[in-house]
Amino acid sequence: MTRTNYEPKPLFIERMKKLLGKDFESYMEILKQKPVKSLRVNTLKISVDELKKRFKEKAWKIKQPFKDYPEIMIVESDLKPGELGRALEHLLGYYYIQELASMLPIIALQPKPNETFLDLCSAPGSKTTQAASKMKNTGTIIANEVSFKRIKILASNLEKCGAINTIIIKKEGLAFCERMKKQGFQFDKILVDAPCSGEGTLRSTPKTFLMWNIKTVDRLSRLQKNLVASAWEILKPGGTLVYSTCTHAPEEDEEVVDFILKKFKGNIKIEKISLPIIPKQGIVKWGDKEYLGEVKHSCRIYPQDNNTEGFFVAKFKKLK
């Protein structure tokens, strides 16, 4: 099914051609297609098998694309517009409508029961509720968000999903990390799913083509570096931090990874990530900038490779 097309800006086209090479045409082609209808079973409220049974009663055709993550499902049936969101099971919080690539940062981070977990930029709560499910509602999740409007959505999603191990904080990210550092509080796991230019969301939000601006990319790159550096200060020794964006811009992806590796050299290791999709390695050169070789261990998720939205994920371990 074709989508309404917006004309991409020439600079965006130029940059994506440089990034993708021979894959550029298939990338542009998949952007015209609707994303798949994906969801995540909220195991805090219902088992995977019980929800599958309910879907069968509705005559919904369900696919579970990842053997190791049966809670992730794709609805292959041709539903009516809004039917997935209006279903009783969704209203009861039995499942969360979430894009496949959006689930990958928590899969990379693997928060476990009884840990302390910080979701620094948490609204609307997709990854926060996913973490609560992984942690079986034990331990402590701090869900930080600066926007009050977005906090209302976050709180609603947490309540609907029954995430009772979560504390919502309204604080600018840098200020929150500084406060925690002064109080000597540290986390086992941290997710920095940073504000970004959203290049990876073009399938679901084609108007991103119109809003795209290279100045925004550069401005966000500076913010992202500060957010990750601040979060690193409150990560426990031996702890894990995942940095993710839904953009392809190297200034917001590999450049941030390179900055963090250099800033905390000697006390940081970038780890290889096991994901249930096919990622491409992080790039080590962009324009006149060369990044550290280890940056290649970060993951680029492209729509044409996995039939998902676009994402970027990097995973770090604090050594001492």
Side-chain angles (χ1 to χ4, degrees):
M1 184 175 181
T2 57
R3 318 287 314 280
T4 301
N5 290 326
Y6 291 84
E7 195 64 35
K9 296 177 182 177
L11 181 57
F12 176 80
I13 292 291
E14 179 187 326
R15 285 163 58 89
M16 291 309 297
K17 279 183 175 178
K18 189 175 175 183
L19 268 174
L20 293 169
K22 61 181 175 59
D23 291 333
F24 176 74
E25 294 302 329
S26 58
Y27 166 75
M28 291 302 292
E29 193 57 37
I30 202 167
L31 293 186
K32 300 173 187 175
Q33 301 174 20
K34 273 189 172 182
V36 299
K37 297 185 288 286
S38 54
L39 59 88
R40 174 176 47 79
V41 181
N42 177 23
T43 53
L44 296 176
K45 285 195 167 184
I46 195 169
S47 71
V48 171
D49 287 342
E50 179 60 30
L51 188 59
K52 278 177 70 178
K53 183 180 173 184
R54 284 173 170 259
F55 286 155
K56 189 175 182 181
E57 289 169 359
K58 292 175 181 288
W60 287 9
K61 187 181 177 185
I62 297 295
K63 176 184 174 184
Q64 291 165 284
F66 310 130
K67 178 172 63 72
D68 294 334
Y69 303 96
E71 74 277 10
I72 297 174
M73 297 180 178
I74 293 172
V75 182
E76 295 186 318
S77 302
D78 189 18
L79 305 182
K80 296 173 185 175
E83 188 175 354
L84 195 60
R86 289 194 306 267
L88 177 63
E89 289 77 7
H90 182 246
L91 298 174
L92 290 172
Y94 290 171
Y95 64 84
Y96 192 106
I97 300 170
Q98 187 174 0
E99 206 282 319
L100 290 170
S102 169
M103 304 181 200
L104 299 175
I106 292 296
I107 288 176
L109 187 56
Q110 288 294 315
K112 293 183 169 52
N114 300 311
E115 289 184 327
T116 52
F117 168 67
L118 169 63
D119 191 347
L120 189 59
C121 314
S122 59
S126 309
K127 299 169 187 68
T128 320
T129 54
Q130 187 181 0
S133 187
K134 288 272 186 192
M135 295 167 69
K136 297 179 167 52
N137 252 343
T138 66
T140 304
I141 295 177
I142 300 294
N144 183 67
E145 174 58 43
V146 69
S147 162
F148 183 70
K149 183 178 179 182
R150 287 168 62 83
I151 277 180
K152 289 194 283 186
I153 301 168
L154 169 65
S156 174
N157 283 329
L158 289 170
E159 183 179 7
K160 186 163 74 171
C161 290
I164 59 173
N165 64 340
T166 306
I167 301 166
I168 297 175
I169 303 287
K170 182 187 181 297
K171 200 87 174 170
E172 194 277 324
L174 302 179
F176 172 81
C177 292
E178 189 60 34
R179 174 68 64 87
M180 292 292 100
K181 185 180 176 183
K182 284 180 180 176
Q183 294 179 353
F185 195 89
Q186 293 182 313
F187 295 87
D188 296 302
K189 303 275 173 71
I190 296 178
L191 173 65
V192 183
D193 186 51
C196 71
S197 57
E199 293 176 2
T201 65
L202 286 163
R203 284 182 77 182
S204 58
T205 318
K207 66 180 181 182
T208 302
F209 274 133
L210 303 179
M211 299 184 288
W212 185 85
N213 188 304
I214 192 62
K215 290 182 180 178
T216 302
V217 169
D218 292 334
R219 175 179 61 80
L220 287 168
S221 176
R222 293 189 293 272
L223 172 64
Q224 291 151 354
K225 289 169 186 170
N226 288 332
L227 283 172
V228 181
S230 298
W232 186 259
E233 299 283 0
I234 55 173
L235 181 67
K236 286 181 182 178
T240 305
L241 182 150
V242 162
Y243 172 67
S244 61
T245 71
C246 54
T247 194
H248 304 307
E251 295 88 344
E252 301 179 69
D253 294 340
E254 287 88 353
E255 189 172 313
V256 176
V257 172
D258 182 72
F259 170 83
I260 294 301
L261 288 174
K262 288 173 179 173
K263 184 174 179 65
F264 298 104
K265 185 179 178 181
N267 192 27
I268 188 170
K269 179 187 177 186
I270 183 167
E271 299 199 309
K272 293 180 181 178
I273 305 172
S274 177
L275 295 175
I277 50 87
I278 306 165
K280 282 188 165 57
Q281 288 186 335
I283 61 173
V284 293
K285 184 172 171 52
W286 179 248
D288 59 354
K289 294 178 181 176
E290 289 198 28
Y291 308 130
L292 294 171
E294 307 97 281
V295 172
K296 71 182 180 182
H297 295 315
S298 50
C299 296
R300 287 185 154 266
I301 295 103
Y302 286 115
Q304 75 277 6
D305 294 336
N306 304 283
N307 195 19
T308 63
E309 295 275 41
F311 239 81
F312 176 87
V313 184
K315 181 179 181 180
F316 305 96
K317 184 171 184 179
K318 196 169 196 173
L319 300 179
K320 57 189 178 183

